[in-house]
Amino acid sequence: MGDSSTSKIKLYSFYRSSCACRVRIALNLKGIDYEYKAVNLFQGEQFSPDFLKLNPLGYVPVLVDGETTLADSFAILMYLEEKYPQYPLLPEDPNKRAINYQAANIVCSSIQPFQNLAVLKYIDENVGSGESIHWALTHINKGFAALEKLLAKYAGKYATGDEVFLADLFLAPQIQGSITRFNIDMTSYPLLLRVYKAYEELSAFQDAMPEKQPDAPKDIKVVS
Amino acid sequence: MVMKLYSHYMSSCTFRVRIALRLKGLDHEYIAVDMINGEHLTDEFLKLNPLGMVPALVDGDIIIADSFAILMYLEEKYPEHPLLPNDFQKRALNYQAANIVSSNIQPLQNPRIQASRKFSMYIGKISSPDEMLPWTQHHICRGFAALEKLLANCAGKYATGDEVSLADCFIAPQVDAASKRFKIDMNDYPLLSRLYKAYVELPAFKDAMPENQPDSPAVGI
């Protein structure tokens, strides 16, 4: 047992981090066992010297796989896809792959950067307490409207067809967080809501959600 | 049929794609999107990218937006002059460096975000528009400091070795913008400065620079 624990993948994560949630889903889908290393972002643990050695930007997730240490959820997902090809996260068709990359990047470059803790804190401190919610919703709504249009031609049971692919791993945590943290009105996004309901039936997704993580507080809000 | 690249000369995201197309020797037609006059918000353009941003690539029947998605598509469809090495770890480093730029730096310096009423409502409240610069510089400096550490053990002539790769396609435009537009003192970032000096020797980079695009005022069209 000692040997398997030293070679087990470690995932540095925070229960509420949507970026970490993407990786948690991927590890579950690919059936990869991992050790959950909680980093308490509310208490600033991401700024400890030990953690900054793992990721100088001070963000979760970070994945440690033997001698490989890797930060950034997109990079981690591509690494997992390339090294552990079981349960592929990308389709064969080049156009569908491109749509998955595009949807993933709408989330990770055009929505999520505007709602991470550091940015929200800046807005609340410099503009006014609570202003960060309006700020976050502006960017979420813009991104969700774009995703509704982009995926209209491709969605099936899930975002880009009838199988789960990379785009779904980015959408699920983003939608979950937008509902629980920012009270977004999803009625304008019927496609996203429909695929989100489909994710609720998948244990790989549900086991990755914030409320199921070892560091989740007991009174955490869940999507009802 | 030749690929079409929808571009704006100043867009650092499009700059990434312009470099990659040249590295791979891929012919393309440059279609300037007049963002000053709102062409990116027309129904016609929104069909190409519902987010209303450049770049967008049209390759036959295939339409793709987002620079990262376009670069991955080009890499997979046109594998000659590969942008990614074979080694897992080096590939991962490339993805990581690219995302530091595309998720942690560039979105927060995007002039469209800064110019938008919403942004200035949130940031301009605390200062004059000129003082948006510290916000931008803060994010650039954090990202650059992270890149210096990330690449310290793997950089060669270029970011992750002696061949130009995906990471360079992201880093080059970012350093170009940081030094020319956002007044970053590149002396604080010796590795990135050294890489930039190597980039300016590359035709693929030079020809892709903002000032050399058909819609640049410098070119006088």
Side-chain angles (χ1 to χ4, degrees), chain A residues 57 59 68 70-72 74-75 78 82 97-98 101-102 105 108-110 113-114 122 126-127 131 134-135 146, chain B residues 50-51 62 64-66 68-69 72 76 88-89 91-92 95-96 99 102-104 107 119 122 125-126 135 142 146:
Chain A
L57 270 175
Y59 288 141
T68 299
L70 188 48
D72 185 85
F74 194 101
M78 294 305 293
E82 291 173 3
R97 287 169 79 91
Y101 291 134
Q102 191 175 333
N105 271 282
C108 76
S109 298
S110 297
F114 300 105
Y122 182 96
N126 290 289
V127 182
E131 288 286 342
H134 300 293
W135 161 271
Chain B
L51 264 180
I62 292 181
I64 310 169
D66 185 86
F68 211 115
M72 294 303 293
E76 290 171 1
F88 285 136
Q89 286 194 355
R91 289 170 77 90
Y95 294 133
Q96 195 176 329
N99 268 284
S102 75
S103 296
N104 297 124
F119 186 98
Y122 293 118
K125 263 189 190 176
I126 56 156
W135 154 278
R142 274 191 82 206

Side-chain angles (χ1 to χ4, degrees), chain B residues 1 4 10 51 74 82 91 101 127 136 141 148 158 160 171:
Chain B
M1 196 172 144
K4 294 186 171 72
M10 260 180 66
L51 264 180
L74 291 175
R91 289 170 77 90
V101 175
S127 57
T136 307
C141 292
E148 288 277 323
Y158 301 107
T160 61
I171 293 170

Side-chain angles (χ1 to χ4, degrees), chain A residues 205-222:
Chain A
F205 280 70
Q206 293 314 301
D207 291 346
M209 286 296 134
E211 61 268 22
K212 299 272 178 66
Q213 304 318 301
D215 55 336
K218 292 196 175 39
D219 58 350
I220 183 174
K221 189 172 173 191
V222 298

Side-chain angles (χ1 to χ4, degrees), chain B residues 75-89:
Chain B
E75 180 68 354
E76 290 171 1
K77 189 163 178 199
Y78 303 101
E80 59 276 8
H81 305 290
L83 300 176
L84 286 163
N86 288 324
D87 173 81
F88 285 136
Q89 286 194 355

Side-chain angles (χ1 to χ4, degrees), chain A:
Chain A
M1 291 299 113
D3 278 344
S4 64
S5 69
T6 52
S7 62
K8 212 195 249 191
I9 283 181
K10 294 185 181 56
L11 179 69
Y12 290 78
S13 165
F14 181 60
Y15 71 97
R16 216 179 71 166
S17 158
S18 66
C19 303
C21 187
R22 300 165 191 163
V23 178
R24 299 192 298 248
I25 298 171
L27 290 165
N28 292 345
L29 285 170
K30 287 181 177 287
I32 297 172
D33 207 8
Y34 66 96
E35 188 187 341
Y36 190 103
K37 308 279 284 179
V39 181
N40 192 329
L41 303 186
F42 293 146
Q43 290 177 3
E45 284 180 5
Q46 67 275 37
F47 301 121
S48 71
D50 281 342
F51 188 77
L52 288 174
K53 275 195 209 117
L54 296 173
N55 182 7
L57 270 175
Y59 288 141
V60 291
V62 173
L63 191 97
V64 178
D65 182 11
E67 290 181 5
T68 299
T69 297
L70 188 48
D72 185 85
S73 60
F74 194 101
I76 294 171
L77 289 173
M78 294 305 293
Y79 169 82
L80 290 174
E81 178 67 354
E82 291 173 3
K83 192 166 174 197
Y84 303 98
Q86 68 270 25
Y87 202 105
L89 300 176
L90 286 160
E92 301 271 343
D93 173 68
N95 190 18
K96 279 208 157 180
R97 287 169 79 91
I99 297 304
N100 270 277
Y101 291 134
Q102 191 175 333
N105 271 282
I106 289 176
V107 175
C108 76
S109 298
S110 297
I111 307 179
Q112 193 280 334
F114 300 105
Q115 70 182 51
N116 75 43
L117 267 184
V119 171
L120 296 181
K121 196 161 164 267
Y122 182 96
I123 302 277
D124 279 339
E125 282 173 2
N126 290 289
V127 182
S129 176
E131 288 286 342
S132 62
I133 307 265
H134 300 293
W135 161 271
L137 280 171
T138 300
H139 293 286
I140 294 170
N141 279 309
K142 194 153 172 270
F144 280 13
L147 285 162
E148 282 283 312
K149 290 198 186 102
L150 177 72
L151 301 173
K153 279 201 306 187
Y154 304 98
K157 189 169 183 195
Y158 304 109
T160 61
D162 291 333
E163 291 172 69
V164 168
F165 287 124
L166 194 78
D168 300 293
L169 276 61
F170 283 75
L171 289 179
Q174 182 61 54
I175 297 168
Q176 195 271 352
S178 302
I179 295 172
T180 55
R181 286 173 61 197
F182 303 108
N183 286 317
I184 193 167
D185 179 2
M186 288 299 291
T187 51
S188 305
Y189 312 113
L191 189 155
L192 295 180
L193 195 54
R194 179 172 66 65
V195 300
Y196 190 73
K197 295 266 174 249
Y199 303 147
E200 287 181 337
E201 305 299 314
L202 295 173
S203 59
F205 280 70
Q206 293 314 301
D207 291 346
M209 286 296 134
E211 61 268 22
K212 299 272 178 66
Q213 304 318 301
D215 55 336
K218 292 196 175 39
D219 58 350
I220 183 174
K221 189 172 173 191
V222 298
V223 175
S224 50

Side-chain angles (χ1 to χ4, degrees), chain B:
Chain B
M1 196 172 144
V2 160
M3 272 188 270
K4 294 186 171 72
L5 176 67
Y6 289 78
S7 166
H8 184 268
Y9 72 98
M10 260 180 66
S11 157
S12 75
C13 300
T14 316
F15 192 172
R16 300 166 190 162
V17 178
R18 296 195 298 249
I19 296 170
L21 287 166
R22 285 167 175 81
L23 286 171
K24 286 183 169 294
L26 293 169
D27 262 343
H28 59 281
E29 185 188 341
Y30 186 102
I31 303 188
V33 179
D34 184 359
M35 296 182 79
I36 306 248
N37 290 312
E39 194 182 344
H40 56 301
L41 299 172
T42 59
D43 286 343
E44 207 186 316
F45 187 78
L46 289 173
K47 282 191 199 122
L48 299 175
N49 182 6
L51 264 180
M53 294 201 225
V54 287
L57 187 89
V58 178
D59 184 13
D61 290 337
I62 292 181
I63 301 173
I64 310 169
D66 185 86
S67 58
F68 211 115
I70 294 171
L71 287 175
M72 294 303 293
Y73 167 80
L74 291 175
E75 180 68 354
E76 290 171 1
K77 189 163 178 199
Y78 303 101
E80 59 276 8
H81 305 290
L83 300 176
L84 286 163
N86 288 324
D87 173 81
F88 285 136
Q89 286 194 355
K90 280 215 158 175
R91 289 170 77 90
L93 274 166
N94 268 278
Y95 294 133
Q96 195 176 329
N99 268 284
I100 287 176
V101 175
S102 75
S103 296
N104 297 124
I105 306 179
Q106 191 281 333
L108 298 159
Q109 82 183 30
N110 184 331
R112 184 163 162 236
I113 303 290
Q114 296 197 351
S116 76
R117 206 169 51 87
K118 296 277 184 204
F119 186 98
S120 49
M121 190 170 111
Y122 293 118
I123 300 298
K125 263 189 190 176
I126 56 156
S127 57
S128 71
D130 288 338
E131 289 188 42
M132 286 188 211
L133 192 56
W135 154 278
T136 307
Q137 289 175 327
H138 166 75
H139 290 288
I140 294 175
C141 292
R142 274 191 82 206
F144 279 12
L147 283 167
E148 288 277 323
K149 292 200 182 95
L150 178 72
L151 303 174
N153 294 328
C154 64
K157 186 171 184 194
Y158 301 107
T160 61
D162 290 331
E163 308 276 339
V164 179
S165 67
L166 188 83
D168 299 293
C169 295
F170 282 77
I171 293 170
Q174 185 59 62
V175 174
D176 192 69
S179 51
K180 291 178 180 165
R181 284 162 56 195
F182 300 111
K183 303 181 188 168
I184 300 294
D185 183 356
M186 290 305 298
N187 289 320
D188 294 337
Y189 309 106
L191 192 155
L192 295 177
S193 295
R194 176 171 73 64
L195 294 178
Y196 189 77
K197 288 197 176 72
Y199 298 145
V200 296
E201 300 298 313
L202 283 172
F205 174 74
K206 271 199 304 209
D207 294 346
M209 284 170 84
E211 49 267 44
N212 294 329
Q213 302 318 299
D215 54 332
S216 158
V219 170
I221 288 175

